[in-house]
Amino acid sequence: MTIRILPAVGDPDAARTVSALLSQLPDAEPAPAVADSTALVDALAAAAQGAGAPSPAGPAAAVEALPEVVLVHERIGPTPALELIREVALRFPAVGVVLITADAGPALFSAAMDAGARGIVGLPLGYDELAARVQAAAQWSAGVRVHLGGNPDAAPGSSGTLVTVTGAKGGVGTTVTAVHLALAARAAGRSVALVDLDLQSGDVASYLDVQFRRSVVDLAGISDISVRVLQDAVHDHHTGLGLLLAPEEGERGEEVDDRAARQIIGALRSRYEVVLVDCGSQMQSANAAAVELADVALLVTTPDVVAVRAAKRQVRLWDRLQIRKAEETTTVVNRLTRNTEIQPPLVAKATGTQVARTHVPAAFKELQPCVDAGRMQDLDGRSTVKQALWALAGELGLVDAPAARQGRGNHRARPSLTGRRRKAIAAGAAPGSGSGPGPAPGSVPGSAAGSGSRFGARRGSAAAAGGPGPFDPAGPYEEG
């Protein structure tokens, strides 16, 4: 969100200082400073009137034309600063006003709040304090504009999409899923933060070959996370991802409670379009808060009895603790094959959750070189696992279009229904009868009638009898 800022500073030296600091704020669009209170009110009135009030969308357009934040210096004139703040708050209620003053004591703070200010910045000005006050006022302004009929699509406060990835149990592929969803969203041009909230045994750094000094624990004790503090804690990966990693010392994870997790996630959502959180498989207060706040909560499981039972326990735990309802959870089935007895419809029935349409095939050989090297970002675009995970990102809306197809792909990524049917027909044909669709007269269907066709009949017998065939990740799902 671009923050439009209008400073009202009478002193030229102070105006230059304010303008220099505002130019450093991310996503800020500062206007030239106005010199007195009359010029400020006139500028706001002109912005509102110039938006086309006579049109049917006049009030909404007038609200949207106003700047989100107005900075008022204490020595502005001729109207005293507090009186000016009161006038701006009454005439332009969708504008967040911040007072710049040398006296930041409780008496003036109370008076400024009563007048309608949204914050106070003390002199001499500091970047962190100014950035925090401006962002808070801008978020408040965005929320007010929604209620005043400004932009109905503008969300108050945090605007980034929050996606959590939780494992039914350890080893089901939670981190690989989170990493590739983040990479897919970044490849689509979105700003992405990947957070490792598996606080005791997080492996995001290992999968992306990162040596880091700061972690999520460094933000836990900070009551007001400024832009600069967040930048210091987030590792800028060469793929374009912003990484907020779990601590090296697992015992320090206890320092991140639910309050800290909410504050950290809120700060990330205000700066990134997509925030991916790897929650691991063990529920603590921090990752439970993340799941509760999530726009999309994924639960990763494998199609085996133990993992599905663990997924069911996890969903029931969330329901008992009122973290999330089962119907609001999306289950991702990982390492799926056609020969697996537990298929996605059964997983949906057992857990009571929605199951993603995109399933991830069992192809660890494709992953192993990248896992061992700690460079998951180098996974070949022809990999069926990568194609499935990037297609899942498209299904979840993290990319504008499914990004699963990169390059031409290999033969495993293309449908082979014709080949399967041909094998089934060949397996059911009698020896010497050519390629006829049925068995030869007098032969037993599915039997091996000669040494030349013995192995072919054995390999094709399951398909001929209607059993499961080879797994095809690109073809439509068919229940075996």
Side-chain angles (χ1 to χ4, degrees):
M1 180 183 73
T2 301
I3 304 174
R4 294 166 294 176
I5 307 169
L6 179 58
V9 185
D11 182 51
D13 294 334
R16 284 192 294 270
T17 303
V18 171
S19 299
L21 288 174
L22 292 179
S23 65
Q24 301 176 28
L25 297 182
D27 303 325
E29 187 179 298
V34 296
D36 54 46
S37 59
T38 303
L40 173 62
V41 175
D42 290 345
L44 294 175
Q49 292 175 0
S55 65
V63 168
E64 285 304 306
L66 292 170
E68 284 78 17
V69 180
V70 167
L71 300 178
V72 176
H73 194 273
E74 63 178 353
R75 295 184 181 178
I76 195 71
T79 306
L82 293 181
E83 291 297 326
L84 178 60
I85 291 172
R86 184 174 287 107
E87 181 179 359
V88 171
L90 290 174
R91 293 185 58 181
F92 312 100
V95 176
V97 185
V98 177
L99 175 63
I100 301 175
T101 177
D103 179 17
L108 181 61
F109 181 84
S110 178
M113 295 301 105
D114 291 340
R118 300 309 308 170
I120 289 181
V121 179
L123 290 172
L125 289 176
Y127 175 87
D128 290 341
E129 185 181 9
L130 180 62
R133 298 286 83 77
V134 166
Q135 286 190 345
Q139 290 181 358
W140 174 86
S141 175
V144 171
R145 291 175 192 224
V146 173
H147 297 291
L148 291 179
N151 182 5
D153 297 328
S158 303
S159 57
T161 301
L162 175 62
V163 180
T164 58
V165 184
T166 308
K169 67 181 189 66
V172 295
T174 308
T175 302
V176 172
T177 302
V179 167
H180 274 285
L181 290 179
L183 290 172
R186 183 68 191 112
R190 300 191 176 186
S191 58
V192 182
L194 177 58
V195 186
D196 196 347
L197 278 186
D198 188 1
L199 296 173
Q200 291 188 351
S201 54
D203 285 323
V204 169
S206 299
Y207 277 97
L208 292 175
D209 191 23
V210 173
Q211 301 294 328
F212 64 98
R213 183 169 54 92
R214 300 203 179 270
S215 69
V216 65
V217 175
D218 295 305
L219 298 177
I222 301 175
S223 58
D224 191 0
I225 301 175
S226 65
V227 176
R228 182 159 296 179
V229 169
L230 193 62
Q231 289 175 342
D232 290 341
V234 174
H235 176 85
D236 293 325
H237 196 253
H238 66 83
T239 58
L241 299 178
L243 305 180
L244 187 56
L245 302 169
E248 284 276 7
E249 304 84 7
E251 64 275 10
R252 295 196 62 195
E254 298 179 358
E255 301 176 24
V256 185
D257 55 10
D258 58 340
R259 182 201 61 81
R262 292 175 186 275
Q263 188 173 8
I264 293 168
I265 290 173
L268 290 169
R269 295 180 73 182
S270 66
R271 285 191 46 79
Y272 293 91
E273 296 177 79
V274 177
V275 179
L276 262 297
V277 181
D278 180 1
C279 293
S281 59
Q282 298 296 323
M283 277 293 102
Q284 301 169 342
S285 59
N287 48 22
V291 173
E292 183 180 359
L293 294 172
D295 299 304
V296 179
L298 299 180
L299 182 61
V300 182
T301 185
T302 49
D304 57 84
V305 173
V306 176
V308 173
R309 285 178 177 173
K312 186 175 181 180
R313 286 198 305 268
Q314 191 77 273
V315 170
R316 288 181 173 178
L317 173 66
W318 289 353
D319 185 65
R320 289 196 305 271
L321 298 180
Q322 297 183 352
I323 296 173
R324 200 170 193 88
K325 296 180 180 178
E327 56 269 22
E328 298 174 354
T329 303
T330 301
T331 300
V332 178
V333 181
N334 189 22
R335 301 173 193 158
L336 182 67
T337 67
R338 293 288 180 180
N339 299 323
T340 308
E341 292 186 7
I342 298 179
Q343 291 292 325
L346 182 57
V347 176
K349 183 177 180 181
T351 60
T353 63
Q354 306 175 21
V355 173
R357 297 189 304 273
T358 304
H359 315 306
V360 185
F364 183 72
K365 287 184 179 180
E366 300 174 359
L367 293 173
Q368 189 167 6
C370 296
V371 170
D372 293 341
R375 297 184 60 84
M376 190 56 62
Q377 68 273 16
D378 294 340
L379 184 62
D380 192 344
R382 296 174 297 177
S383 165
T384 57
V385 175
K386 181 174 181 176
Q387 290 178 0
L389 289 174
W390 286 44
L392 176 63
E395 180 182 338
L396 298 175
L398 300 181
V399 297
D400 295 332
R405 303 294 180 191
Q406 287 198 338
R408 295 180 55 87
N410 57 12
H411 67 281
R412 298 183 61 186
R414 293 193 292 270
S416 58
L417 293 176
T418 303
R420 287 204 297 271
R421 290 170 182 164
R422 185 163 55 248
K423 290 180 181 179
I425 293 172
S433 63
S435 57
S443 64
V444 179
S447 62
S451 60
S453 61
R454 179 175 56 188
F455 297 105
R458 182 172 299 177
R459 292 177 58 191
S461 59
F471 176 71
D472 178 20
Y477 168 73
E478 298 176 1
E479 186 172 356

